[in-house]
Amino acid sequence: MLAYPTIDPVLLSVGPIQLRWYGLMYVIGFAAAYLLVLYQAKLFHWQQMRDRLDDLHLFLILGVVLGGRLGYVLFYNPAYYLAHPLDIPAIWTGGMSFHGGCLGALLAGYLFCRRTGLDFWKAADLFIVSAPIGLFFGRLGNFINGELFGRITVVPWGMVFPEGGPLPRHPSQLYEALLEGVVLFIVLWAVKAKPWQPASTSRWPHGTLLALFLGLYGCFRFLVEFVREPDPQIGLIGSTFSMGQLLCLAMIVAAPLLWRWLHQRATQDRPR
């Protein structure tokens, strides 16, 4: 097995103030997303996005944080938080849900675009291309914290995590960083211009990059969950699937439906 590289989760401490690796990963992810969206807005000559980017980015950050926390409360530990409602805002104690953060970001983006007149589907395409960068750094933060580790394994790259008992486990955080971060980014970045090309708008209308993200992320996460340790307060549902897998199944089903709807919408709007 490989030795788990124990890293102090606290990067810097000044009195009562702590800078943690996990928080730094969030900051890097949000900053990278901002720069990549700005680059695309310039590349595709969308001045309206460049003018509104600062405000929209702030809205999306709030959507990710609030949605991620509420998603964890509702999807993963509702009984505890029903009994301890004052603990819901305590995000510094841990407990964030990707699926909740995704829904929160989509809702925040939709409300912002509706209020300002931005095209929601165009904005979704720009931002979703950058999302895997945040996922990559977020999973690295999970690995540094020694949390969300995998199930017990005999593979030679298994690791003994400080909170995972004496037996080696899959470093599932690194699997997710590779698939949800690196691979997903490469795929989305390779096709980022498709919706902006007139010749391909019938097959790649705006919003299809979002659909592609939902489908691929859902598949990658669904597969990794087979070797990821289920949340102890839930375990496996029906002795087969984790909560994360059920939520990913919803994404996998929604992706082609969204793509089909966008295609039909683009076909109907095409001049005849």
Side-chain angles (χ1 to χ4, degrees):
M1 67 180 181
L2 297 179
Y4 172 70
T6 304
I7 303 172
D8 189 342
V10 178
L11 174 62
L12 181 65
S13 180
V14 180
I17 301 175
Q18 293 184 338
L19 174 61
R20 304 179 70 89
W21 280 105
Y22 189 67
L24 179 62
M25 295 297 130
Y26 264 82
V27 172
I28 294 174
F30 286 135
Y34 178 91
L35 294 175
L36 288 175
V37 171
L38 179 60
Y39 168 79
Q40 293 179 88
K42 293 178 179 178
L43 179 65
F44 301 128
H45 309 291
W46 193 11
Q47 184 61 44
Q48 190 182 13
M49 172 56 76
R50 294 171 63 180
D51 295 339
R52 298 284 189 178
L53 179 56
D54 290 354
D55 293 336
L56 176 54
H57 194 61
L58 178 59
F59 261 69
L60 293 176
I61 290 174
L62 293 174
V64 167
V65 174
L66 294 177
R69 183 57 172 175
L70 291 177
Y72 180 79
V73 169
L74 296 175
F75 298 147
Y76 290 96
N77 217 345
Y80 172 83
Y81 289 103
L82 185 62
H84 305 85
L86 295 180
D87 289 348
I88 293 177
I91 60 174
W92 55 88
T93 62
M96 296 286 282
S97 161
F98 162 79
H99 297 90
C102 184
L103 290 173
L106 290 174
L107 178 59
Y110 174 77
L111 293 176
F112 182 91
C113 290
R114 183 175 180 179
R115 183 171 66 87
T116 60
L118 278 176
D119 187 308
F120 170 74
W121 298 111
K122 287 183 178 180
D125 280 343
L126 291 192
F127 274 92
I128 210 63
V129 169
S130 70
I133 300 295
L135 292 171
F136 173 79
F137 284 107
R139 294 309 180 192
L140 289 186
N142 294 145
F143 182 73
I144 292 172
N145 283 348
E147 61 190 6
L148 305 184
F149 42 73
R151 304 182 195 184
I152 296 171
T153 182
V154 295
V155 298
W157 56 87
M159 297 181 182
V160 176
F161 289 88
E163 303 298 325
L167 297 177
R169 294 176 174 273
H170 283 283
S172 56
Q173 314 97 320
L174 301 183
Y175 302 166
E176 293 190 71
L178 176 63
L179 291 174
E180 302 165 9
V182 178
V183 175
L184 190 50
F185 176 76
I186 291 173
V187 173
L188 291 174
W189 194 254
V191 297
K192 68 181 182 301
K194 292 287 187 181
W196 301 87
Q197 297 170 349
S200 63
T201 52
S202 61
R203 291 181 293 111
W204 292 83
H206 283 292
T208 49
L209 295 185
L210 172 60
L212 182 61
F213 171 88
L214 295 175
L216 289 179
Y217 177 92
C219 290
F220 291 155
R221 173 77 179 271
F222 184 85
L223 293 175
V224 173
E225 286 278 336
F226 281 116
V227 297
R228 175 173 157 175
E229 184 71 15
D231 293 86
Q233 72 275 15
I234 299 177
L236 293 177
I237 299 172
S239 302
T240 306
F241 297 124
S242 66
M243 175 59 74
Q245 285 178 308
L246 295 182
L247 295 172
C248 284
L249 281 175
M251 296 176 69
I252 294 170
V253 171
L257 296 177
L258 175 59
W259 196 305
R260 179 177 176 81
W261 179 79
L262 291 166
H263 174 75
Q264 292 176 339
R265 178 171 170 264
T267 302
Q268 293 171 357
D269 293 343
R270 190 187 309 163
R272 300 181 183 275

